[in-house]
Structure formats: structure tokens, C-alpha cells
Amino acid sequence: DVSGRDDQTILQVALENELSIPRLCYLTGLSEWGGCRLCLVEVEGTNRLLAACTTLAREGMNVHTATPRLESYRKMILEMLFAERNHVCSVCVSNGNCELQALAQKLGVDHVRYPYLYPNLPVDASHPYFLADHNRCILCTRCVRVCAELEGAHVWEITARGIHARIAIEMNENWGHASTCTSCGKCVHACPTGALAEKGWATEEMVKKIDTVTSLVHRRGVQV
Ligand code: FES
């Protein structure tokens, strides 16, 4: 039994009560987007699976956060994320410090049942301090939201739809030429994978300071 406020989501109530629900697009302090679907839960009384990060908790709700059905969906979602881009962990700056990799290990994803798409994607290394590797992006939009909601710069966006969707800067400008980027690095540290990274780190060296991002939210009292 747990209690929460009526403006809290199932995920927020769970986290406040030290109950873990898998998630990738959610980041404490940013608006909820509900895009990755890893936080799906079963709520008694409905057959639909609901995203814990966007569903408000209600009095008397009975929520199942870990069932065989949920685990099989979560594994399927992770496998599709791996198949969609080129996540070669062994040569990634975030190897060992990646939320996607950690979740896959935790949920026992030891192989991928879907054909790899091997898209031919660029790496934008035009910024003096950072780089964007589209091969490792899972389109969680944390970069888009942290830049808009915390930094107020609105540099990042999503272009195109479906399989062609990409994170982009200033209508597909190179990062190094983006006049609105303040080089604050919040997008880099909010990114759960090695898609956005600081330059100068070798494989396994890039550790994201996710706590810095969330503590900034609390210190500034940002309302989203
Ligand atoms: Fe809820 Fe991504 S964390 S949909």
C-alpha cells in the first residue's frame, strides 16, 4: 500500500516509495512525454497497458508493475530499440554508463529477435565540446525537453516521422553552427545513451551527470 497526491503519476508515486519501474524517456523534473513505453503497467479494471509516467495515480488503484506480460513487452521494446540503430556497446563512450544497456542487462535481453536495420547515420562532431551520434539515439527527447524546459534555449527538436525521425538542431543545422546553443551541456548529461557525449572521452569513459540535471530542476523550482 502506498499513498500519493492526486497530481502525481503512478511513476512518481512509485519512485517516492522506492519502487522501481523501468523507464527511459522519463527524467525527474522534465515534462512527461510517454514515448518509450517501457514504464507500461497493468492497472486492475482495464485491459489496456498504461504508461506509468503519464497516468495519474488514483485512490484505490491496484497497479501491477512487474508481471510476465509486462516483462515480455519491455524486452520486446528494448530489442526493437537495439535493432533500429547501431548500438555497438563495445566501442561506445558510454559503455558501462548507459541507461539502455543497463536496462537490457537488468531485464535479461541477451539477444535480439528482430532484423537489425543498420541505418547509415551521421555523427555530428562540429561542436567544439560535444558530439551527436545518431547511431546511438533512442529518440527519448530528453535533450529536446531539457534544452527547452531547463535551459530555455529550444535548440533541439525532432524532425521527420517514424523510422526517419531524428533529433535535430535548428532545422538540421550542424551543432557547431547552431547560434542558439549555449554550450551548457545539459542535453549531453540528460541523454541516457552515448548519443550525445562530451568530446575527449574514450570508450567507457563518458559518465553522464544525470543528478546534476535533476538537482538543477529542484534548485530552480522549474514548473513544467
Ligand atoms: Fe514512461 Fe517512457 S518512461 S513512456
Side-chain angles (χ1 to χ4, degrees), residues 32-52:
E32 294 85 15
W33 183 57
C36 75
R37 313 312 281 177
L38 278 158
C39 69
L40 288 176
V41 291
E42 292 178 18
V43 177
E44 286 183 17
T46 172
N47 284 329
R48 290 170 50 218
L49 298 177
L50 301 174

Side-chain angles (χ1 to χ4, degrees), residues 106-122:
K106 188 172 172 190
L107 299 186
V109 178
D110 49 16
H111 65 285
V112 172
R113 292 165 289 174
Y114 308 103
Y116 283 90
L117 301 184
Y118 296 122
N120 187 5
L121 294 171

Side-chain angles (χ1 to χ4, degrees), residues 11 22-26 34-39 51-54:
L11 181 60
R23 58 203 178 275
L24 278 176
C25 68
Y26 178 84
C36 75
R37 313 312 281 177
L38 278 158
C39 69
C53 68
T54 54

Side-chain angles (χ1 to χ4, degrees), residues 19-74:
L19 297 167
S20 178
I21 297 177
R23 58 203 178 275
L24 278 176
C25 68
Y26 178 84
L27 185 61
T28 302
L30 300 184
S31 60
E32 294 85 15
W33 183 57
C36 75
R37 313 312 281 177
L38 278 158
C39 69
L40 288 176
V41 291
E42 292 178 18
V43 177
E44 286 183 17
T46 172
N47 284 329
R48 290 170 50 218
L49 298 177
L50 301 174
C53 68
T54 54
T55 306
L56 290 173
R58 287 289 168 257
E59 183 71 31
M61 216 178 212
N62 286 326
V63 182
H64 299 263
T65 60
T67 66
R69 182 184 178 207
L70 291 172
E71 269 160 34
S72 88
Y73 275 114
R74 287 171 183 154

Side-chain angles (χ1 to χ4, degrees), residues 13-221:
V13 173
L15 294 178
E16 224 171 69
N17 289 279
E18 294 176 10
L19 297 167
S20 178
I21 297 177
R23 58 203 178 275
L24 278 176
C25 68
Y26 178 84
L27 185 61
T28 302
L30 300 184
S31 60
E32 294 85 15
W33 183 57
C36 75
R37 313 312 281 177
L38 278 158
C39 69
L40 288 176
V41 291
E42 292 178 18
V43 177
E44 286 183 17
T46 172
N47 284 329
R48 290 170 50 218
L49 298 177
L50 301 174
C53 68
T54 54
T55 306
L56 290 173
R58 287 289 168 257
E59 183 71 31
M61 216 178 212
N62 286 326
V63 182
H64 299 263
T65 60
T67 66
R69 182 184 178 207
L70 291 172
E71 269 160 34
S72 88
Y73 275 114
R74 287 171 183 154
K75 280 172 99 161
M76 182 181 73
I77 293 166
L78 287 171
E79 286 175 46
M80 288 197 285
L81 286 174
F82 279 107
E84 192 176 27
R85 303 265 172 131
N86 304 305
H87 296 277
V88 187
C89 300
S90 57
V91 290
C92 178
V93 283
S94 288
N95 186 11
N97 303 298
C98 168
E99 291 181 49
L100 175 68
Q101 184 189 44
L103 206 47
Q105 286 167 344
K106 188 172 172 190
L107 299 186
V109 178
D110 49 16
H111 65 285
V112 172
R113 292 165 289 174
Y114 308 103
Y116 283 90
L117 301 184
Y118 296 122
N120 187 5
L121 294 171
V123 176
D124 179 355
S126 57
H127 192 282
Y129 314 126
F130 313 125
L131 58 83
D133 184 349
H134 294 271
N135 296 285
R136 306 187 188 283
C137 176
I138 56 168
L139 298 171
C140 68
T141 74
R142 284 191 194 174
C143 55
V144 178
R145 285 174 287 146
V146 79
C147 185
E149 295 166 11
L150 196 50
E151 181 63 6
H154 297 266
V155 175
W156 289 101
E157 62 207 336
I158 299 282
T159 60
R161 291 285 179 273
I163 201 83
H164 302 295
R166 306 272 183 270
I167 53 164
I169 276 188
E170 294 184 356
M171 311 269 294
N172 271 337
E173 184 55 273
N174 283 332
W175 200 349
H177 300 147
S179 57
T180 50
C181 177
T182 60
S183 301
C184 70
K186 291 185 185 70
C187 56
V188 171
H189 289 282
C191 171
T193 70
L196 301 184
E198 290 172 358
K199 284 185 172 176
W201 300 109
T203 304
E204 300 183 16
E205 287 186 351
M206 176 79 222
V207 179
K208 302 296 179 78
K209 297 178 193 139
I210 211 103
D211 291 347
T212 312
V213 176
T214 48
S215 74
L216 267 177
V217 172
H218 293 307
R219 277 185 276 151
R220 290 188 187 174

